[in-house]
Amino acid sequence: MKTRQFGRTTLPPEQEKATRRAVRWEIFTIVYTAITIAVIALVVGNSQAMRTAWIEDMLSLVPQFAFLIALLFVRRRPNRKHPYGMHRAMGVGHLVAGVALLAVGLNLAVEAVTGLIAAEHPTIGTIVLWGHTIWLGWLMVAVMAVVIIGPVFFYGPAKSKLAPVLHNKLLYADADMAKADWQTTVASIVGVLGVGVGAWWLDGAAALFISLGIIWDGYRNTKAAIVDLMDQRARTYDSKKPHPLAADIVSYLRDRPWISDAAVRMRDQGQVFHIEAFVVPRKRKVSVHDLTTTAEGVAALDWKVQDVVIVPSERLPDEADTGR
């Protein structure tokens, strides 16, 4: 997969390297998760908590596939049919992943609550291994303790380091979910051990806890994807605060000798930004040369600046970001 081009932007070496690493980690994660899904399937038994954790593992594949598929579209150059490029593909992938998590999480939560109300007593049997009879619950606990190593200690932290370099919210959400996977593991182990000591309800309660975690992941990812697709003010990769690049651009514009004041509308198109820069000229006449060099200067501030439109105005729009 080519990783050097995002639309018309040729990535700097740091971002190109980060993209290649992100692709490798996503492929590794898909293989790792597929193996864990197969292993858990061998021991899932009648435990509702284990079954819910198993389904969560399957759902965790959605963001990884969404990232790899979206990347195929993001690198395409703009054309007349798609004049802004196809950067929104990453946002669409983010939305698909969020909705899938939310829908399945709600369904699992309903199943868990229904099981608790019906007082369904799960049973965990035994298995004969190498001539010894072993309680299946111990195998469940052992499997869950082993499979958690990958997301919590390896690919979760690795992806979380790459997400800010690429300004990729889908990758960040994927990493965030992986790092929080230990909660699912602990809950499933508690549920299984609860069945072992006769506290049958712990299994359903653990399944409900895991379901609520899936719902929360689905809700926040769906919300973040929707507000981005609705062109909210560009924010950082974790959506926690407005992106500081807007203030940097305004500061750069105000330093131009022909501009008396400036403000921007910055739109996050996925991993790159579309900039509308409104400037109040000191004189009524503005040269094409000044407009061109200023647009080039803004584009040179950051690799994420994909499109720049300089708009000479008598006054700044009220909704534009003045960087103050």
Side-chain angles (χ1 to χ4, degrees):
M1 181 182 291
K2 294 180 180 178
T3 54
R4 192 180 180 189
Q5 203 75 28
F6 278 3
R8 65 164 62 93
T9 297
T10 300
L11 293 178
E14 182 184 10
Q15 279 66 35
E16 184 187 355
K17 182 180 177 182
T19 305
R20 285 202 304 268
R21 291 184 62 192
V23 170
R24 286 199 293 267
W25 274 116
E26 294 295 29
I27 293 173
F28 171 83
T29 305
I30 290 170
V31 174
Y32 183 93
T33 307
I35 294 172
T36 63
I37 289 170
V39 172
I40 295 174
L42 298 174
V43 299
V44 68
N46 291 324
S47 167
Q48 192 171 10
M50 283 294 294
R51 192 163 60 250
T52 306
W54 186 41
I55 294 173
E56 193 206 26
D57 260 15
M58 297 180 195
L59 288 173
S60 70
L61 289 172
V62 177
Q64 290 127 35
F65 278 112
F67 176 85
L68 293 176
I69 294 171
L71 205 56
L72 295 174
F73 292 92
V74 165
R75 63 188 179 84
R76 294 183 182 178
R77 289 182 177 276
N79 52 41
R80 288 190 178 180
K81 188 175 182 181
H82 298 282
Y84 299 101
M86 304 188 79
H87 303 288
R88 294 289 196 196
M90 203 58 76
V92 172
H94 195 186
L95 178 61
V96 169
V99 171
L101 288 168
L102 186 59
V104 178
L106 286 169
N107 186 52
L108 292 172
V110 170
E111 280 188 16
V113 171
T114 304
L116 285 170
I117 294 174
E120 294 175 355
H121 288 53
T123 56
I124 298 177
T126 58
I127 186 172
V128 178
L129 284 179
W130 300 292
H132 299 280
T133 301
I134 302 174
W135 182 51
L136 189 58
W138 293 125
L139 290 181
M140 295 178 182
V141 171
V143 166
M144 294 306 292
V146 170
V147 300
I148 195 59
I149 294 174
V152 173
F153 297 104
F154 291 105
Y155 61 76
K159 292 179 188 177
S160 67
K161 291 178 182 175
L162 296 173
V165 178
L166 295 172
H167 184 68
N168 192 296
K169 294 180 180 178
L170 177 56
L171 191 63
Y172 175 75
D174 183 17
D176 203 34
M177 288 165 54
K179 288 192 297 181
D181 220 24
W182 66 269
Q183 298 168 1
T184 297
T185 300
V186 171
S188 60
I189 290 175
V190 169
V192 169
L193 294 179
V195 174
V197 299
W200 63 269
W201 55 269
L202 265 178
D203 188 57
L208 180 59
F209 177 81
I210 297 170
S211 304
L212 293 176
I214 299 172
I215 291 171
W216 173 242
D217 286 337
Y219 167 75
R220 62 195 179 93
N221 281 294
T222 301
K223 179 184 175 184
I226 288 175
V227 294
D228 275 347
L229 291 172
M230 292 176 68
D231 290 335
Q232 73 163 342
R233 180 185 187 187
R235 302 183 73 80
T236 52
Y237 68 95
D238 52 8
S239 298
K240 290 183 178 177
K241 56 185 179 182
H243 201 288
L245 182 58
D248 293 342
I249 293 173
V250 171
S251 177
Y252 171 82
L253 292 171
R254 288 185 182 139
D255 286 342
R256 301 306 94 197
W258 64 277
I259 296 174
S260 67
D261 202 1
V264 297
R265 288 196 302 217
M266 196 164 78
R267 180 185 300 158
D268 191 338
Q269 293 188 303
Q271 292 186 204
V272 297
F273 297 149
H274 178 98
I275 311 293
E276 292 174 316
F278 298 89
V279 296
V280 179
R282 295 187 184 279
K283 299 178 181 178
R284 296 196 63 80
K285 290 185 178 179
V286 178
S287 72
V288 174
H289 175 75
D290 284 341
L291 291 172
T292 303
T293 55
T294 300
E296 291 173 348
V298 171
L301 290 177
D302 195 293
W303 70 271
K304 292 188 289 295
V305 178
Q306 179 88 163
D307 292 296
V308 182
V309 179
I310 306 293
V311 185
S313 310
E314 290 187 346
R315 60 182 295 273
L316 301 177
D318 293 336
E319 71 278 7
D321 188 343
T322 59
R324 293 168 177 156

